[in-house]
Amino acid sequence: MGGRADGDVERLRRLLGGEQLAWLVDRARRRLAQGQPLTGVVTLPKASHEQRRAAERLLGRRAGRGYSLSVPLDEVDRILRASGVAPEGLAAAVVLLTGPIVDEAAVAAAQAAAWAAARAPLYALTERRPELSGWLAWLDGTGMLRRLAGDPDTAARLVEQLAAVLDALPSGGLALGRLAATGAGDAHALDDGRPLATLALAAVRVLAGAEPTGDASAAGRRAAWAAVGVHLDELSSTVLCLGLPGGAATPTGRMLAAAHEAAEPCVLTLRQVTGRGGERADLGVGAGLVFVCENPIVLASAADELGRDTPPLVCAGGQPSAAVLGLLELLADQGASFAYHGDFDWGGLRIAGGLRERVDWRPWRYDAEAYLAALATVTGGPLTGRPVDAAWDPALRPALERHGIRVDEELVLPVLLADLAAGYPEPEADVPAD
């Protein structure tokens, strides 16, 4: 039995396994790998004389004229079966001559299913967090997950960590390393350049109201994380303030008191704001009103012109840092209320809206009426960027869109300083609920 099998293999190799018919075997093998049937005709353009003679010996007839050579696969299958050289037909002969065949279509389908399973938690995440749908569309559109992970198993682990990190945001002032350790089991998983950091930072920008790709500088990354309450460390995150009376009970309170006495602005780190061992800084404001501006020039001008008469004033510094948010939330916990002013542009409205999600504030000349009043007295620049709503005044966005002019905070400094001198708006002033 074994000798007969060996003889059949040798006959098959003589009939079909030669160099001149290698193209035919290769075509058949590719069809099998792609899940296609071995039927119909395969054609070899510009066939050589030797290739044509080999096909004629296989078929037992002339193989046509011209430059191309066409061979019916059904006929080859019939010949192999009838001759006994390959009783199971052409497909079995190809495997015997070239080895086992991988079903490429099945492999591709399995890979697609594995990638879909790896991505599935992200779709569940966006169902819980619809604000991340734009980020997920960017992720799928760029193929970033596949590029960073390389294979479905790695992607599945990365997605699991990513979902854990994003589910923890926004936070109340969490260190980046602690977020990484909690979400990914690796305190450095969110370090710049790591795959998880790349994916998470894009989502963080979207949560902050920006595009998935943004300012890639160290300051830009720090600002993006700060917008969702995450700080890179307790010392690099700072907040600029003026006129907070402070107190004698804590080191931070004494720092504020000394700065207040000297009528100087004070820079606090997040460490000083949050305190150590649960110690809460005595800020000295109590149930008073705290003014909040977007740009440092307002605070610096108030220090120069009003000195110790400046009411409590905190600078958001553009996109609020973790220290800014921490100080405002601490003030709110101690009973303070807030009045906010920022730039009249889309970035300013976006910053104000994000801040309003963390602490409640009333507009400080920061509504449609104030915008129109500013346009009557100052010359602003062209308004650019993506429009955003103003939840505190639905009329503000249409006014900005209609006029197309931005008004930076610096342009209305005299009015803001007059308000600070007069303590406007009064703490008891009420703002209608949204």
Side-chain angles (χ1 to χ4, degrees):
M1 182 69 71
R4 179 181 174 186
D6 291 342
D8 290 345
V9 171
E10 287 304 317
R11 289 177 61 201
L12 177 63
R13 286 175 178 158
R14 289 196 300 270
L15 184 63
L16 193 61
E19 178 183 348
Q20 305 305 328
L21 290 178
W23 69 274
L24 176 61
V25 175
D26 181 64
R27 297 284 185 86
R29 182 179 177 87
R30 275 191 284 168
R31 287 199 177 193
L32 291 172
Q34 294 168 3
Q36 298 175 357
L38 297 184
T39 58
V41 175
V42 292
T43 300
L44 177 67
K46 298 182 180 180
S48 67
H49 175 72
E50 291 76 11
Q51 288 170 325
R52 186 177 300 280
R53 291 293 302 275
E56 290 174 348
R57 284 194 297 272
L58 172 64
L59 298 174
R61 59 174 176 80
R62 293 284 301 267
R65 298 176 179 275
Y67 291 104
S68 64
L69 172 61
S70 296
V71 176
L73 294 178
D74 308 79
E75 188 175 350
V76 175
D77 182 79
R78 181 186 59 77
I79 291 171
L80 293 175
R81 292 177 187 273
S83 66
V85 174
E88 296 179 4
L90 178 57
V94 170
V95 172
L96 191 61
L97 290 172
T98 62
I101 296 173
V102 176
D103 188 337
E104 295 176 357
V107 170
Q111 281 283 304
W115 277 107
R119 289 195 302 268
L122 296 180
Y123 294 102
L125 174 66
T126 53
E127 288 182 3
R128 300 192 302 272
R129 308 281 297 276
E131 63 271 26
L132 284 170
S133 57
W135 164 75
L136 183 57
W138 167 84
L139 198 64
D140 288 342
T142 59
M144 186 63 71
L145 177 62
R146 188 182 291 262
R147 282 193 286 166
L148 291 174
D151 62 80
D153 289 341
T154 302
R157 292 192 296 272
L158 191 56
V159 165
E160 180 182 5
Q161 296 169 353
L162 182 60
V165 166
L166 296 181
D167 272 335
L169 301 177
S171 80
L174 189 64
L176 186 67
R178 184 170 297 180
L179 175 63
T182 303
D186 177 359
H188 296 286
L190 291 173
D191 288 356
D192 184 38
R194 297 282 292 270
L196 182 61
T198 300
L199 299 176
L201 184 58
V204 162
R205 291 187 179 112
V206 171
L207 288 175
E211 298 296 326
T213 55
D215 184 356
S217 68
R221 295 193 301 273
R222 185 180 295 111
W225 283 112
V228 293
V230 177
H231 58 89
L232 273 61
D233 61 73
E234 293 180 319
L235 300 181
S236 64
S237 181
T238 61
V239 53
L240 179 63
C241 55
L242 176 67
L244 273 62
T250 64
T252 299
R254 291 190 289 272
M255 287 179 58
L256 290 170
H260 183 55
E261 179 66 24
E264 285 295 330
C266 185
V267 177
L268 298 177
T269 66
L270 179 61
R271 179 184 177 91
Q272 291 163 334
V273 170
T274 57
R276 289 172 290 178
E279 179 185 67
R280 292 163 60 88
D282 47 339
L283 306 176
V285 175
L289 176 67
V290 176
F291 290 84
V292 183
C293 60
E294 181 181 339
N295 300 284
I297 186 64
V298 178
L299 192 142
S301 299
D304 290 339
E305 299 190 22
L306 304 179
R308 287 192 61 188
D309 293 330
T310 304
L313 177 62
V314 175
C315 178
Q319 188 66 55
S321 67
V324 170
L325 297 173
L327 178 59
L328 295 179
E329 289 174 349
L330 181 56
L331 284 163
D333 289 344
Q334 296 180 1
S337 58
F338 304 97
Y340 182 83
H341 187 279
D343 292 332
F344 284 111
D345 60 17
W346 301 128
L349 266 62
R350 190 170 288 111
I351 291 169
L355 183 61
R356 200 165 185 263
E357 293 177 358
R358 302 296 293 269
V359 294
D360 190 27
W361 51 261
R362 67 192 66 179
W364 169 25
R365 297 191 187 273
Y366 200 53
D367 51 23
E369 182 181 355
Y371 173 64
L372 297 176
L375 289 181
T377 58
V378 303
T379 302
L383 182 65
T384 60
R386 181 164 54 89
V388 61
D389 290 330
W392 60 96
D393 181 11
L396 182 52
R397 172 176 174 169
L400 282 165
E401 289 180 316
R402 184 167 60 254
H403 292 277
I405 298 174
R406 76 171 192 274
V407 177
D408 297 332
E409 205 170 30
E410 293 86 341
L411 296 178
V412 292
L413 260 179
V415 177
L416 299 181
L417 292 175
D419 288 345
L420 291 172
Y424 169 87
E426 294 297 333
E428 60 269 22
D430 196 14
V431 175
D434 293 337

